[in-house]
Amino acid sequence: MTALRSSPLVAPSRQQAVIDSLLAISDGVRRVLERDLDTRDITFQQYNVLRILAPAGAEGLATLAVAERLLERTPGVTRLMDRLERQGFVSRTRGSDRRQVLCSITEAGAALVTELQPSVERAEQSVLACLNPNELGALQHFLNRLRANIDNT
């Protein structure tokens, strides 16, 4: 039996270090935002759906339109809607094109978004408190460039 050769540890490239930081920050931000959401038995992804549906009101949005606007792309949008509907936060109807399902936020869903908004804003502010307005603007600029690049990749 031959011993495995140990390879020397290689320092991450600058690109790898940046990607690692972005992923760690994303996870950290999610955990901070989910603290208050967990008390209401709702996930960040579910809250995101309600936040997307709220401005559409009674007209609602097609399931595919909601899926396109999600912060995290997921193949399980139907399951997400199923759970929100069971919780009484979303209702679904067939559109004029029977293949299209329209999703609308219910009064209970809108009330939940309104109730959670102050705690979500506090969490956002606490996460970004270490940055001044100029730094926030620069960060937004760089993040927009990264998003555009990802969209074109």
Side-chain angles (χ1 to χ4, degrees):
M1 196 171 184
T2 57
L4 291 175
R5 246 188 213 167
S6 62
S7 61
L9 292 177
V10 177
S13 68
R14 179 169 286 172
Q15 289 86 353
Q16 183 181 2
V18 168
I19 295 296
D20 288 351
S21 291
L22 287 171
L23 292 171
I25 290 166
S26 175
D27 180 61
V29 169
R30 171 185 287 285
R31 281 186 281 116
V32 170
L33 291 173
E34 284 183 337
R35 284 182 195 148
D36 287 330
L37 300 179
D38 285 345
T39 64
R40 293 303 315 262
D41 194 30
I42 187 169
T43 67
F44 178 74
Q45 216 169 27
Q46 291 169 331
Y47 174 77
N48 189 30
V49 168
L50 295 177
R51 188 183 58 80
I52 291 166
L53 288 174
E59 277 185 44
L61 291 171
T63 305
L64 290 176
V66 173
E68 290 171 355
R69 295 177 189 183
L70 286 173
L71 294 173
E72 291 180 339
R73 303 296 161 104
T74 177
V77 175
T78 300
R79 285 191 305 273
L80 198 53
M81 292 298 180
D82 288 344
R83 181 150 188 228
L84 286 168
E85 190 172 36
R86 280 194 306 274
Q87 291 173 297
F89 300 136
V90 167
S91 65
R92 292 184 283 188
T93 56
R94 294 264 176 218
S96 55
D97 175 350
R98 294 195 39 82
R99 295 170 294 176
Q100 185 180 56
V101 175
L102 295 175
C103 305
S104 302
I105 193 167
T106 63
E107 286 184 26
L112 181 62
V113 170
T114 300
E115 174 190 330
L116 290 171
Q117 190 61 35
S119 61
V120 168
E121 286 175 6
R122 277 191 305 277
E124 291 169 346
Q125 288 170 357
S126 73
V127 166
L128 299 171
C130 64
L131 301 175
N132 67 43
N134 290 335
E135 291 168 329
L136 280 174
L139 179 59
Q140 185 64 59
H141 170 76
F142 291 125
L143 293 174
N144 286 342
R145 282 179 55 193
L146 283 170
R147 285 177 90 173
N149 187 55
I150 289 168
D151 291 344
N152 293 324
T153 302

